Every structure is written in C-alpha cells, then in structure tokens.
Amino acid sequence: MRARVGWIGWALLGLVGVTAVLTAATPMGRYLARGAYEEGRILARRRPIAELVADPRTPPATRAKLELVLAARAFAADSLGLPARDAFTAFSKLDHDTLVLVLSGTRRDALIAKTWWFPVVGRVPYKGFFKKQEAEKEEESLQHQGYDTYLRPSPAFSTLGWFNDPLLSTTLSEDSLFVAQTVIHELTHNRLYRPGQAVFNESFAEFVGNRGAVEFFRSRGDTAATRVAEARWRDERLLGRVWERGYRAIDSVFAMHPYAGTPADSAARAARLAGRDTVYAALRRYLVDSVGPRLETIPPSYAERVRLDNASLLARRIYATGLGDFEALWEREGRRVPTAVERVATATAGGGDPFAAIRP
C-alpha cells in the first residue's frame, strides 16, 4: 500500500568514495554516486530529535510525533530486542513530500520480475530513484521491453545499520500508527537481513512492524491505538491472502499455456494474456464483493481502484508474502514478538528457502 524500502544499496556503498570514483564511468557507478549525493544531503540535515522536542518553537503536534518516535525506538530496542544503535535519534526535513520513487517490473506474459543487483544487498526486485525523470525514463524502457511496471513513492528506507538513519519528514507526515510501524519495521532490518531475499526481508519486517506496533501501543495503555493497530494488521493479512490467491491463479493459467518466448508461440502467448485478464477481472470482483466489506482500516473504495497487473501484484507480495506463516510462528512462540524474531533468525541462518524454514 505504501512502500517502505528496506535497503538503499546506492547510498550504502555510494558513500564509500572509492567505489564511486572507480566506477563513475559506469551506469552502476553513476547510480551509486547519485545515491551517495542524496544520502549525504539527508544526513547533513539531521537535527537531534531530543533537541527538537525541547525546542518551544516546535509545534505541539510535531513534538508529540517526535516523542512517539523516541518511545517506539526505545520499545523496539528494549522490549523487542532490535538493534537500534543511533537510528531515529535525529530528524531530517526534506524539501519535497516524496523521498524516493520505487520501480518494479514484471513480464506481462510471465510472473518473472525484473531484478537489479547491488553491492551488499544482492539482487532485489525493485529500484529506487530520487529523481522523477530518471524513474520515468527507466519505467518507459521496461515497458518497451514487455514489462508491466509499477512506480510508487516510498516515505522511508533503511541503510541496514550502516548509518544513523534519521526520521524523515516524509514519514512524520503519516499517522501515528504508521510512524510507529515504520520505526519498528526499519529497525527489524538491523536485526535480520538475508542478502538476495528481498521478499522474505520485507515481509518479515512487515510482520515485526505490525505486531510490534500492537505491543508498543498496548505497553503505553493506549487501548484505542492498540485496537486500530490490531485491525490494520488484520487488513494487511487479509490483503496478503488476496495477493496470494491472485498469484496462484495467474500461475495456474500460465502453466496451462506453456510459452517458449518465440514468435512461433504467439498463440500460446495470446492465451496466457487472455487468461491473465480473466483472472484479474475475477480478482477484482472478489475484492469488491468479498474483501472490501471486511476491511476495517482501509476504505472499501480501495477494492474498486487498486491496480491489478503482474507488476503491482508482485510488488505487493514483496511486503505481504507468508504473513500468515509469521503469525503462526508467533502463536507457537507464546505470542512473544522477540522470541519469534529469534526463532526466525535461527531457522533461516542455514540458507535455502527462508519461508520453508519457518514453517513447522
């Protein structure tokens, strides 16, 4: 729904000047250098949150959210066992209301996502852009190559503990629940990040962010916010099941019409596309008739307007795959988030399919 980027490879290594210098003549080098420049601007604008909270000129509503950030950060470290380090102790105000644009691409005739490789984080199914023109240029290129594309804004990212990630004004503009979820989500990446496993990393962080937010507001005695956090987590899991339903249906259609990708297989490709369109039409009806009325924190109109194509489907599954598996593990671990986090970390340490590793 609102993408959170749990990595920023171009900022991580782009800030290492040697890398940028040695590769400045390559597309990757220019990309890293651009990320380094933008990350440097963000870091240069940091102001201690404690200083802003104490400043009488800080508007009361802003002060309340900043205090919430510090409280959520402390809870994540002390009660959830997430390495907070110095993250979210500073605030950076941006000149614009969009931090970064995130692009995903998926073949129209296959559930094969476009991926990009970056140092440290490995291969990921999305790419971030600070400049709209650059994002749109890359999106147009993917469309010409036969991809569905999905371009959306992200209000936050994590540098995986490499730098003192500040709270950004793009995050602060969201509601209090989203702010708390974001802090816990991003700090989860400091505890566990499997290179090349973006779907697992983001879905796991969504689980911890949502479950952690419920526990955070409960610890504060805020029953109203706790109820909303629980309802939003139910909505997230419900939509996760919808995207899984759509994925399996599309996958079945494609399996019924094998396609080698050659001009001679044009009939097979046409059948795949027609079957895909039928599945998405049925998924839309299911969303409107069965899912929309059950959503508690999302307007029913979402079911009517949410985009449905291969790129948006796979992009949503990055953050919503296996949410029920994480929830079941949490149940098995006595409904304790820190115990569940450690169990996931241990179970996935050996490599292989991390989702299979967390199932009983």
Side-chain angles (χ1 to χ4, degrees):
M1 305 232 332
R2 286 169 292 190
R4 279 177 267 225
V5 181
W7 59 276
I8 185 168
W10 13 263
L12 291 179
L13 293 194
L15 281 174
V16 182
V18 173
T19 303
V21 170
L22 292 178
T23 61
T26 68
M28 174 61 75
R30 290 190 292 272
Y31 184 74
L32 293 174
R34 180 69 197 185
Y37 170 75
E38 295 293 347
E39 175 69 2
R41 292 183 64 197
I42 290 172
L43 296 178
R45 296 182 178 201
R46 288 177 298 182
R47 288 188 61 191
I49 291 179
E51 178 182 298
L52 291 170
V53 168
D55 190 338
R57 295 170 297 180
T58 300
T62 301
R63 179 181 295 108
K65 277 194 181 179
L66 292 173
E67 290 174 336
L68 182 76
V69 168
L70 294 179
R73 177 188 177 279
F75 181 84
D78 299 337
S79 299
L80 303 182
L82 303 179
R85 304 187 179 99
D86 291 326
F88 298 112
T89 59
F91 173 75
S92 289
K93 181 174 176 56
L94 305 183
D95 294 330
H96 39 78
D97 57 6
T98 298
L99 167 62
V100 64
L101 291 170
V102 182
L103 176 65
S104 298
T106 305
R107 299 290 310 182
R108 297 189 185 103
D109 53 16
L111 289 172
I112 301 175
K114 167 70 176 179
T115 61
W116 292 266
W117 181 88
F118 298 99
V120 178
V121 298
R123 191 162 290 279
V124 293
Y126 45 66
K127 186 175 182 180
F129 296 87
F130 285 107
K131 292 296 183 181
K132 181 180 179 182
Q133 298 89 337
E134 295 174 2
E136 291 175 339
K137 181 179 179 180
E138 182 99 359
E139 180 181 32
E140 184 178 357
S141 174
L142 289 182
Q143 290 171 348
H144 287 161
Q145 297 173 50
Y147 286 90
D148 282 340
T149 59
Y150 186 41
L151 185 64
R152 69 278 189 197
S154 171
F157 62 70
S158 167
T159 58
L160 312 182
W162 283 59
F163 302 106
N164 173 11
D165 292 329
L167 177 77
L168 303 174
S169 54
T170 49
T171 301
L172 197 67
S173 65
E174 301 284 353
D175 63 48
S176 295
L177 174 54
F178 184 80
V179 170
Q181 287 173 332
T182 297
V183 170
I184 299 171
H185 175 113
E186 302 300 350
L187 292 180
T188 301
H189 292 308
N190 290 353
R191 173 62 186 89
L192 180 62
Y193 189 92
R194 301 300 183 207
Q197 297 286 351
V199 174
F200 170 79
N201 293 327
E202 296 298 349
S203 295
F204 175 59
E206 279 295 286
F207 156 70
V208 179
N210 279 276
R211 266 290 160 217
V214 171
E215 296 304 318
F216 167 65
F217 286 112
R218 181 176 288 131
S219 73
R220 293 163 64 87
D222 192 337
T223 55
T226 300
R227 285 196 297 269
V228 173
E230 289 175 330
R232 188 170 293 181
W233 179 222
R234 285 193 294 271
D235 283 348
E236 294 283 353
R237 300 200 311 274
L238 172 59
L239 288 173
R241 293 193 295 272
V242 172
W243 310 139
E244 181 64 25
R245 177 188 181 124
Y247 180 90
R248 290 182 177 179
I250 295 289
D251 190 49
S252 295
V253 165
F254 288 168
M256 287 189 296
H257 302 283
Y259 173 54
T262 65
D265 288 335
S266 59
R269 183 175 189 274
R272 288 163 78 92
L273 294 177
R276 184 196 83 153
D277 292 345
T278 298
V279 168
Y280 281 130
L283 191 64
R284 176 74 70 190
R285 290 194 298 272
Y286 177 66
L287 277 164
V288 171
D289 297 340
S290 301
V291 176
R294 296 166 58 191
L295 295 174
E296 301 174 69
T297 65
I298 302 170
S301 59
Y302 172 81
E304 300 174 355
R305 59 182 172 78
V306 63
R307 181 173 169 180
L308 295 178
D309 59 27
N310 288 359
S312 60
L313 177 65
L314 263 62
R316 292 188 186 94
R317 293 189 76 245
I318 292 173
Y319 301 89
T321 295
L323 298 183
D325 294 328
F326 290 120
E327 186 78 350
L329 184 145
W330 170 76
E331 292 276 2
R332 296 195 303 271
E333 296 299 323
R335 297 192 167 193
R336 297 191 68 253
V337 175
T339 306
V341 169
E342 293 309 309
R343 177 66 64 182
V344 171
T346 301
T348 61
D353 180 0
F355 288 105
I358 67 172
R359 298 185 189 111

